[in-house]
């Protein structure tokens, strides 16, 4: 069942989303060559706890860390470790925070130092695809309209769309109904209604969209080792559109 959130619930979801946004902003200056992903995890965890919230991913289905750090060809669910970032890497950081029982969820891909033109292209257009998808959100439109817009944009820019991983509803659970795929056809899937809260999260690749899971049972990477990017915002459906809960005032970082 897809839940419609009350104004009171939306106020908690806004606070959770804002904590996630602030955590991204707080981490950003630390994302540079030489830092260990484990250090980013600790910084994020301490920051979230300081806001009277808790990291949503810690212990979720057994996930061993507070945030996900996925480097280069890794797509999602990378586990923070002693690995140090290198100049020219890209890193997708996925952050969830739970405030008074309500979650926020947002991922962003960052450049470490100077990156190649190819990687810049991937980041620019994966980020753009998120906003192209979000523009479809208003009462009466369908979940499939979001995926159709993202997939069409990705194809126009020769980027691979990962289909096995999808966006989702957000509420008292970090993952709720409905699934929000990054592909689809216009007018398909559930109808969007005011008060629904969903996370939209395109994951695009420079090569094949095929993925595989590593031996740690968490990290997902592209089968052809091509780089992947991941941008995600949690949003609420409003009277005539949507409001981003995880992106500050203008929905960007
Ligand atoms: Mg996420
Ligand atoms: Mg998500």
């Amino acid at each position: 069942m897809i839940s419609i959130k009350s104004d009171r619930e939306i106020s908690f979801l806004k606070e959770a989303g804002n904590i996630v946004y602030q955590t991204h902003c707080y981490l950003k200056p630390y994302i540079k060559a030489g830092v260990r992903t484990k250090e980013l995890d600790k910084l994020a965890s301490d920051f979230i706890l300081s806001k009277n919230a808790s990291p949503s991913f810690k212990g979720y289905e057994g996930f061993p860390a507070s945030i996900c750090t996925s480097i280069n060809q890794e797509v999602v669910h990378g586990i923070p470790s002693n690995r140090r970032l290198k100049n020219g890497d890209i890193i997708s950081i996925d952050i969830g925070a739970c405030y008074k029982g309500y979650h926020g969820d947002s991922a962003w891909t960052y450049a470490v130092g100077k990156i190649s033109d190819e990687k810049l292209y991937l980041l620019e257009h994966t980020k753009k695809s998120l906003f192209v998808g979000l523009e479809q959100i208003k009462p009466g439109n369908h979940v499939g309209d979001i995926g159709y817009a993202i997939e069409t944009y990705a194809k126009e820019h020769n980027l691979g769309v990962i289909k096995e991983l999808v966006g989702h509803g957000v509420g008292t659970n970090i993952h709720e109904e409905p699934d929000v795929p990054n592909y689809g056809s216009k007018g398909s899937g559930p109808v969007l209604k005011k008060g629904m809260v969903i996370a939209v999260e395109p994951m695009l690749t420079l090569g094949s969209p095929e993925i595989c899971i590593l031996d740690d049972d968490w990290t997902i990477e592209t089968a052809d080792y091509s780089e992947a990017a991941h941008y995600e915002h949690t949003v609420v459906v409003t009277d005539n559109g949507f409001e981003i809960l995880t992106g500050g005032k203008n929905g960007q970082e």
Side-chain angles (χ1 to χ4, degrees):
M1 204 191 88
I2 304 172
S3 66
I4 303 292
K5 273 70 180 181
S6 67
D7 289 348
R8 182 174 172 275
E9 289 181 296
I10 289 168
S11 70
F12 291 139
L13 287 157
K14 277 186 180 171
E15 189 55 40
N18 189 41
I19 292 166
V20 171
Y21 169 66
Q22 287 181 46
T23 311
H24 272 287
C25 296
Y26 174 71
L27 276 189
K28 208 171 170 182
Y30 294 98
I31 302 169
K32 52 188 184 189
V35 73
R36 297 178 194 272
T37 50
K38 212 165 71 174
E39 295 171 312
L40 297 176
D41 186 66
K42 172 88 166 74
L43 287 163
S45 176
D46 288 349
F47 185 85
I48 291 168
L49 293 170
S50 79
K51 300 291 174 186
N52 296 318
S54 58
S56 303
F57 304 150
K58 181 106 190 186
Y60 181 80
E61 292 182 0
F63 189 73
S66 295
I67 60 172
C68 302
T69 53
S70 309
I71 301 170
N72 296 330
Q73 82 279 3
E74 296 171 357
V75 184
V76 287
H77 305 165
I79 302 172
S81 70
N82 282 321
R83 179 172 174 181
R84 291 182 191 275
L85 295 182
K86 294 199 303 281
N87 198 23
D89 282 342
I90 54 173
I91 179 170
S92 298
I93 297 189
D94 199 347
I95 301 175
C98 181
Y99 177 77
K100 298 208 164 140
Y102 290 84
H103 295 270
D105 187 8
S106 173
W108 216 255
T109 303
Y110 298 92
V112 181
K114 187 169 164 43
I115 61 172
S116 68
D117 288 347
E118 256 196 322
K119 286 179 174 176
L120 270 176
Y121 179 90
L122 173 68
L123 267 51
E124 177 189 345
H125 292 294
T126 307
K127 186 196 291 182
K128 189 72 198 297
S129 79
L130 167 61
F131 289 93
V132 163
L134 292 177
E135 280 164 19
Q136 295 300 315
I137 299 178
K138 62 178 180 185
N141 272 9
H142 292 251
V143 167
D145 297 331
I146 302 169
Y148 175 80
I150 291 170
E151 184 180 28
T152 302
Y153 184 87
K155 282 186 174 165
E156 282 168 3
H157 292 85
N158 286 315
L159 296 171
V161 179
I162 292 168
K163 295 193 167 173
E164 291 87 345
L165 301 157
V166 297
H168 49 90
V170 181
T172 50
N173 292 299
I174 183 92
H175 295 135
E176 298 186 349
E177 288 182 52
D179 280 352
V180 183
N182 299 304
Y183 60 92
S185 49
K186 283 184 183 173
S188 68
V191 176
L192 296 167
K193 293 179 185 155
K194 185 189 172 188
M196 282 185 187
V197 175
I198 57 173
V200 179
E201 49 180 316
M203 288 152 263
L204 305 184
T205 68
L206 280 173
S208 158
E210 302 305 315
I211 53 172
C212 52
I213 186 156
L214 299 192
D215 287 343
D216 64 18
D217 281 339
W218 278 107
T219 312
I220 289 175
E221 68 177 27
T222 55
D224 65 357
Y225 298 106
S226 64
E227 283 83 3
H230 181 203
Y231 289 83
E232 172 183 35
H233 271 315
T234 302
V235 307
V236 59
V237 183
T238 59
D239 278 321
N240 46 20
F242 64 96
E243 183 184 347
I244 294 174
L245 304 182
T246 46
K249 281 207 169 62
N250 58 3
Q252 308 238 20
E253 292 195 27

